[in-house]
Amino acid sequence: MTWGLEEKHRKGWERIRSGDVFFIHSTHNSFFNNAKSGIIGIGVVGSNFSIKNNHLWLYEHQHHENRWPLLVPLSEIYLFSQLPDTSSWESPNIDNKSQSEKLISQLLKNYIPLSNVKGFPQMGSFSAVSKEVANQILFDKRPLYEYSDESSIEGDIEALRPTKLEKVNNISESFRYADTLKVFDSIKQRIVSETPGLYSKNNELLAKAEEAHCNILQQLLEIFKQKGYDVRSNPHVDLFAHDGSRAFLIEVKSTENRNFRTQARKGLAQLLEYDYFEVNRFVSEENLHLKDKYRILVPSQSPKDNNYIEFLNNLNIGVGIVNRDVIKPVGEDFGFSKL
């Protein structure tokens, strides 16, 4: 799922971050007579920003123009009205106008008219809103129908927007990049689910995992800052800490349900990818000369899978557990004793 901006909004596009919240705004349209001005839902920005050079939206196909090349990924969309099953309709195009009008009517079934939102900006497709306006929409009592999709846009993608490693002073700052709203009780309570029992159980597991993840990151932040390290994070990297000569790339994994090998497999791929792309770019931009670089996987529970720990160590991946403000190695010591 994606949204696009015109080239004239490039500076604004570059300021958008993963975790930003967008209000999905419908407008009057001469092509679809049943379109109305109002808020139809909420979108949460993901992390894979890109630039396209093809035609994606109906207007672009009609006018043979790449009008909105700057793509903003949406990890989740919460609509106020439920869409028909996606297998029953095709993406809107020039040849299926009647179907598109039916979808528009469905999207507007439970929308918020702009006249009901005091202070909503009236101009432009890309405008900031005040806290008062945001609260009117976010804390409305309408049900929310969640749609999520991590697939990328097909077609010609010109470039991906790089992410920066930002300085972290408190771990809550890194959670500002979370590309979901399900961690907020006021949102969770309004989400309509076809399987409420399973959804409730999944939410409990998610909350437990998020809490463990956050607690570990906060402890790691304090450990490194006490040692004088510069600590960084971004929507991809959990933690990167360096003191000018030594650096640690940290990936934290919740293993609350004892799924160490599954989580470690994901963490391995992430550490290798983030080191190659994110860290190498940062080191080059900052002109750092690091003598030692360590890639560390930090599970929330002490793992017992010695064979897999040995496998990770063989790939120069350290495993450590945070315990009382220290990082204790599990397997080989990858720089822990030097902290």
Side-chain angles (χ1 to χ4, degrees):
M1 299 181 293
T2 192
W3 175 59
L5 285 174
E6 296 173 89
E7 182 62 39
K8 66 181 181 181
H9 292 305
R10 179 177 283 268
K11 288 186 177 179
W13 176 72
E14 291 174 346
R15 292 196 302 270
I16 300 172
R17 293 289 182 267
S18 176
D20 283 349
V21 174
F22 278 72
F23 298 123
I24 305 172
H25 172 210
S26 65
T27 61
H28 288 293
N29 188 295
S30 58
F31 191 72
F32 297 109
N33 294 325
N34 62 332
K36 301 177 183 178
S37 291
I39 308 299
I40 61 173
I42 304 168
V44 185
V45 177
S47 56
N48 295 318
F49 293 80
S50 57
I51 303 172
K52 69 177 179 67
N53 54 21
N54 61 348
H55 303 149
L56 178 61
W57 289 283
L58 182 60
Y59 177 94
E60 294 181 327
H61 285 288
Q62 285 179 303
H63 296 83
H64 307 287
E65 174 190 355
N66 182 22
R67 184 173 180 179
W68 299 285
L70 308 177
L71 300 183
V72 179
L74 297 175
S75 59
E76 295 175 345
I77 287 178
Y78 298 90
L79 298 177
F80 298 138
S81 304
Q82 186 175 21
L83 285 174
D85 189 285
T86 53
S87 63
S88 67
W89 52 274
E90 298 177 354
S91 297
N93 60 63
I94 299 173
D95 299 322
N96 62 4
K97 182 178 179 180
S98 60
Q99 175 203 260
S100 298
E101 288 178 335
K102 291 180 181 178
L103 289 174
I104 290 171
S105 294
Q106 184 63 32
L107 282 170
L108 293 171
K109 189 174 181 180
N110 204 26
Y111 82 122
I112 303 177
L114 287 190
S115 58
N116 292 1
V117 185
K118 185 178 179 180
F120 192 85
Q122 299 297 315
M123 297 295 291
S125 61
F126 179 51
S127 302
V129 299
S130 66
K131 181 179 179 180
E132 290 72 23
V133 169
N135 286 342
Q136 291 176 67
I137 301 170
L138 286 173
F139 298 110
D140 187 88
K141 300 301 181 183
R142 286 170 172 77
L144 297 172
Y145 296 88
E146 180 200 357
Y147 297 87
S148 59
D149 183 12
E150 297 182 358
S151 61
S152 57
I153 298 299
E154 296 182 359
D156 298 326
I157 300 299
E158 183 178 308
L160 293 175
R161 194 185 82 178
T163 53
K164 295 182 179 180
L165 284 168
E166 307 281 358
K167 185 182 288 289
V168 180
N169 295 310
N170 187 288
I171 211 60
S172 61
E173 297 173 10
S174 66
F175 278 84
R176 168 256 182 276
Y177 300 118
D179 55 1
T180 180
L181 292 182
K182 291 195 287 287
V183 294
F184 300 105
D185 290 337
S186 59
I187 297 294
K188 285 193 299 185
Q189 293 167 1
R190 293 165 55 196
I191 297 175
V192 177
S193 173
E194 294 180 0
T195 53
L198 177 61
Y199 182 79
S200 176
K201 182 179 180 181
N202 287 341
N203 264 339
E204 291 171 4
L205 292 174
L206 175 64
K208 186 176 181 180
E210 289 284 354
E211 182 179 4
H213 193 269
C214 183
N215 289 339
I216 292 170
L217 283 175
Q218 184 62 49
Q219 292 179 71
L220 287 167
L221 174 64
E222 292 171 358
I223 290 171
F224 283 109
K225 288 185 73 69
Q226 287 174 3
K227 300 293 184 179
Y229 278 70
D230 179 31
V231 184
R232 304 272 172 160
S233 178
N234 72 16
H236 304 296
V237 175
D238 276 346
L239 218 64
F240 174 72
H242 77 91
D243 65 357
S245 63
R246 183 180 298 117
F248 292 84
L249 175 62
I250 307 284
E251 179 64 28
V252 176
K253 286 298 177 188
S254 173
T255 52
E256 297 301 297
N257 59 349
R258 309 295 179 179
N259 57 342
F260 171 72
R261 185 170 290 208
T262 301
Q263 291 289 73
R265 190 177 294 120
K266 295 177 184 177
L268 168 62
Q270 289 170 300
L271 284 167
L272 294 175
E273 177 184 332
Y274 301 161
D275 189 27
Y276 185 85
F277 290 104
E278 311 281 343
V279 172
N280 284 344
R281 182 172 59 245
F282 177 78
V283 169
S284 176
E285 291 174 349
E286 298 294 318
N287 195 28
L288 296 176
H289 301 282
L290 301 174
K291 293 175 58 179
D292 300 308
K293 287 175 59 179
Y294 301 102
R295 296 173 297 209
I296 309 296
L297 181 70
V298 179
S300 60
Q301 298 286 337
S302 184
K304 308 298 183 184
D305 193 340
N306 293 328
N307 288 335
Y308 209 80
I309 293 169
E310 184 178 344
F311 165 69
L312 292 171
N313 290 167
N314 188 58
L315 295 175
N316 291 320
I317 303 293
V319 180
I321 293 293
V322 178
N323 185 12
R324 295 186 179 181
D325 300 328
V326 296
I327 308 175
K328 297 180 63 176
V330 181
E332 295 181 31
D333 182 354
F334 280 76
F336 303 127
S337 60
K338 298 178 182 179
L339 279 174

